[in-house]
Structure formats: C-alpha cells, structure tokens
Amino acid sequence: MSPLPYKFCPQCAQPLQMLAAEEDGGSKTRLRCAGCGFTHWNNPTPVLAAVVELADQDGRLLLARNAAWSGKMFGLITGFMEAGETPEGGIAREVGEETSLTVDALELIGVYDFQRMNQVIIAYHALARGEVKLSPELAEYRLYRPDEVRCWPAGTGYALADWLRSRGHSPQFFDLPPRPAA
C-alpha cells in the first residue's frame, strides 16, 4: 500500500487510520478519524486537457514537454480547474497561460480515466491561434501534422487517439518506458 496522503484529521488533529464503515454500497475501508468521524474520500481530481490545433499553422497540433518531466515525452496541454470556472473556461485559460495562444473554439472529445494519478481527464479539441510563448511550466513544444503524431497508451494519449479517429486518421501508438520500481 502506498503512503497515506494525510496523517492527521483536518478537523480535530487526531491521527487518521484506515477504518471500515458502512456506506451506501456496504462496508468500505477508507482513511478516517476515529475521534470525530471525518472521512478522507480520496475522490479523483478533474483535470482538463486540450488537443491544440493551430488554425494559423496549417492545422498542426501543438504538443509540449512539461519542465518537470524527465526524458523527451511531449503531451497535451493540461491543467486543473479553478474554483468557479467551467471546464471550457478552464481549458481555454490553461491554453492561454501555458502557450499564450488564443482559443477560437472548443469541442469536447471525451472523459478519460487516469487511475494511476487518481484523476478524471476532461479532454477538448481547442482550435487556437497566435504566437507560441511558453510559460515556465513548459520546457519546449513541437508542432505535428495530424498524420505524423503518435499517441501514448495512457490518459491523454487516448483522447488524442479519439480526436485523430474523429478526423479520419488511424492513430499510431508508441510504448511507454517501464516505470521504475518503487
């Protein structure tokens, strides 16, 4: 089992424990406080993603490498929703903040499970334009024609594959390198 995300109750400061309790679906073991009954639900976090198509670059797709990533993996523009914003508003903001591009139109591609990171990905096609200026969060970017981009078998890679299929392309996947043992 992985390390617990929290050690103490945010309501009464007593130590949290893995405890079983009856819920709507039956008994469920979760991180709970024996003192006040607080439950850490550990629900997935919604993450926004965009397949960014550049209207003023002959429809090329922008993939970027996060500055925190090792290796040469390039992916979709992603980010977290802010309180009070819609998913559409959030991904338009993320594209603008991370690339300085202006989003002209958004279309929902789909919703994708990403359990490894305890996330649910809400993916959009973003038609955008402008001069790319990366935020410090991103190290570099590349532009690809839709027929030359390759997908990865995880989270946002499935969103990219679905978008490619919707445009009449057959997505090609590459294998991810094995993850180091913990």
Side-chain angles (χ1 to χ4, degrees):
M1 185 167 142
S2 62
L4 299 176
Y6 302 100
K7 292 182 180 184
F8 299 98
C9 177
Q11 293 180 351
C12 70
Q14 288 192 33
L16 294 174
Q17 307 167 50
M18 293 301 291
L19 300 173
E22 287 297 317
E23 297 180 2
D24 290 343
S27 181
K28 182 79 175 182
T29 300
R30 298 185 191 270
L31 197 56
R32 303 179 195 272
C33 178
C36 73
F38 169 82
T39 298
H40 173 62
W41 296 101
N42 198 30
N43 292 330
T45 302
V47 173
L48 306 171
V51 174
V52 177
E53 179 185 9
L54 296 173
D56 53 358
Q57 294 282 335
D58 297 319
R60 292 186 186 273
L61 305 179
L62 181 143
L63 298 183
R65 186 172 68 79
N66 190 297
W69 295 349
S70 62
K72 288 289 184 181
M73 174 73 184
F74 286 76
L76 304 185
I77 300 300
T78 60
F80 297 103
M81 286 178 59
E82 299 284 342
E85 72 183 353
T86 64
E88 294 85 357
I91 196 57
R93 174 188 51 76
E94 286 288 345
V95 169
E97 286 177 0
E98 294 184 14
T99 68
S100 297
L101 296 171
T102 301
V103 173
D104 293 339
L106 289 169
E107 179 182 3
L108 180 67
I109 299 170
V111 178
Y112 301 86
D113 177 46
F114 195 36
Q115 288 188 22
R116 182 175 63 80
M117 297 295 292
N118 195 27
Q119 297 173 344
V120 173
I121 298 168
I122 306 167
Y124 289 88
H125 166 234
L127 186 63
R129 66 182 68 245
E131 181 183 347
V132 178
K133 296 178 188 161
L134 298 179
S135 75
E137 188 176 324
L138 300 177
E140 58 184 314
Y141 74 94
R142 291 186 183 159
L143 301 180
Y144 297 91
R145 292 188 321 266
D147 64 341
E148 62 186 9
V149 72
R150 295 183 62 202
C151 304
W152 46 97
T156 56
Y158 296 127
L160 178 56
D162 284 348
W163 182 82
L164 288 168
R165 282 187 201 94
S166 78
R167 298 304 194 264
H169 299 280
S170 294
Q172 302 297 313
F173 284 85
F174 65 86
D175 292 326
L176 292 173
R179 297 190 67 75

